[in-house]
C-alpha cells in the first residue's frame, strides 16, 4: 500500500507483545481499527489504496462498519468514482468523517457515506465545484467538442450524486456546481453533505455523538 507522503520517514511505533516487540506505523494501526484515511489528492494511486483497504476490511468482518476519514483537496472524478463504487459495493456500513477539508470530488465522497454516519469536525471546510478539464484545452475542434461533452456528462453525474446523497433538488445541485460553494461545518450539515458535527471523541465513536 502506498502511504501518504506527509513525511519523508513515517514514525514507527514499537509495541510489547507476548513474544517480544513488534514495530508498526500509524496507518497500520488505523487499519486495525477499521479506519481508512484519505489524506491526499484523489488520483488513481490513492483510489486503489482506498479500494484495497475497503475490500480487505469487508473480507475480515463484513458486518462491521468501516470509517473513511477525509482530508483531501479532491481530484480526478474518475478516480473518485472508483472509491465511490467500492463504498457502495461493500456490505459494511461506511462512516465518513471530514477532518480538515473535503473539496470537489472529496466532498461527494463524504456525502455518500451511510446516512446517519456522515460527520464533520467543527473546523472542517467543504467546497463544491464543477469539474475542471484535465490538461490544456487545445486540439482540433472535434477533440474539444468531445472533451466538452465528457465534462458535461461528469457534471451531470456530480449533480445526480448531490440529489441522491445530499437531498438537493436538481435545481439546487446545478446551482451548487455553477461556482465554488464554500461551506463550513454547520453549512455542510444544513446542505445535506453531513449528518452531524462532532466536537470531540469523548462521547465515543464519531457516529455515536449527537449533533
Amino acid at each position: 500500500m502506498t502511504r501518504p507522503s506527509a513525511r519523508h520517514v513515517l514514525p514507527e511505533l514499537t509495541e510489547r507483545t507476548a513474544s517480544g516487540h513488534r514495530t508498526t506505523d500509524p496507518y497500520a494501526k488505523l487499519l486495525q481499527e477499521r479506519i481508512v484515511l484519505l489524506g491526499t489528492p484523489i488520483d488513481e494511486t490513492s483510489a486503489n489504496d482506498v479500494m484495497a483497504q475497503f475490500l480487505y476490511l469487508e473480507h475480515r468482518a463484513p458486518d462491521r462498519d468501516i470509517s473513511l476519514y477525509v482530508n483531501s483537496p479532491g481530484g480526478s472524478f474518475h478516480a473518485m468514482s472508483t472509491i465511490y463504487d467500492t463504498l457502495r459495493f461493500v456490505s459494511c456500513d461506511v462512516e465518513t468523517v471530514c477532518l480538515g477539508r473535503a473539496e470537489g470530488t472529496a466532498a461527494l465522497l463524504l456525502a455518500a457515506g451511510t446516512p446517519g454516519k456522515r460527520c464533520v469536525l467543527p473546523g472542517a471546510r467543504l467546497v463544491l465545484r464543477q469539474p475542471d478539464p484535465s490538461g490544456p484545452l487545445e486540439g482540433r475542434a472535434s477533440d474539444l467538442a468531445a472533451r466538452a461533452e465528457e465534462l458535461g456528462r461528469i457534471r451531470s453525474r456530480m449533480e445526480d450524486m448531490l440529489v441522491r446523497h445530499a437531498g438537493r433538488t436538481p435545481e439546487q445541485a446545478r446551482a451548487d456546481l455553477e461556482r465554488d460553494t464554500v461551506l463550513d461545518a454547520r453549512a455542510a450539515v444544513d446542505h445535506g453533505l453531513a449528518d452531524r458535527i462532532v466536537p470531540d471523541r469523548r462521547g465515543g465513536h464519531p457516529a455515536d455523538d449527537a449533533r
Side-chain angles (χ1 to χ4, degrees):
M1 181 180 70
T2 302
R3 293 179 170 83
S5 56
R7 303 167 185 259
H8 292 293
V9 179
L10 284 172
E12 293 185 341
L13 307 174
T14 301
E15 300 175 324
R16 189 186 302 275
T17 65
S19 58
H21 293 83
R22 178 180 61 185
T23 299
T24 183
D25 64 69
Y27 298 102
K29 292 295 293 181
L30 289 174
L31 193 63
Q32 290 176 18
E33 298 299 322
R34 301 182 66 81
I35 295 172
V36 176
L37 177 63
L38 176 59
T40 64
I42 299 174
D43 57 18
E44 297 301 328
T45 298
S46 61
N48 285 334
D49 288 346
V50 172
M51 177 179 65
Q53 291 175 83
F54 270 38
L55 295 175
Y56 167 78
L57 292 173
E58 182 198 30
H59 174 73
R60 289 292 302 268
D63 57 344
R64 291 182 59 197
D65 288 8
I66 297 171
S67 295
L68 177 63
Y69 281 30
V70 179
N71 178 30
S72 172
S76 163
F77 177 84
H78 298 296
M80 182 278 291
S81 294
T82 300
I83 302 174
Y84 175 83
D85 287 345
T86 306
L87 182 154
R88 305 287 296 170
F89 174 76
V90 295
S91 59
C92 314
D93 281 0
V94 178
E95 172 197 60
T96 52
V97 182
C98 178
L99 59 174
R101 60 176 172 164
E103 300 183 10
T105 53
L108 297 176
L109 284 178
L110 182 76
T114 300
K117 299 183 179 182
R118 305 172 307 163
C119 310
V120 289
L121 271 62
R125 179 180 186 270
L126 285 77
V127 182
L128 297 173
R129 62 168 58 103
Q130 60 182 303
D132 293 325
S134 57
L137 291 175
E138 57 186 24
R140 296 175 299 182
S142 58
D143 295 331
L144 294 176
R147 291 183 64 184
E149 182 178 351
E150 173 67 1
L151 283 174
R153 186 185 70 83
I154 290 173
R155 174 163 174 161
S156 178
R157 288 187 61 191
M158 294 174 71
E159 292 173 2
D160 290 344
M161 289 180 183
L162 288 173
V163 170
R164 178 175 186 175
H165 299 295
R168 309 294 286 168
T169 67
E171 294 75 18
Q172 288 172 329
R174 282 194 292 271
D176 289 338
L177 298 178
E178 190 61 33
R179 68 206 180 290
D180 280 9
T181 301
V182 182
L183 307 167
D184 61 13
R186 173 50 57 191
V189 173
D190 294 341
H191 226 72
L193 299 176
D195 300 303
R196 66 195 68 195
I197 299 172
V198 181
D200 55 54
R201 291 189 62 128
R202 286 177 295 182
H205 211 254
D208 298 328
D209 288 311
R211 186 188 290 183

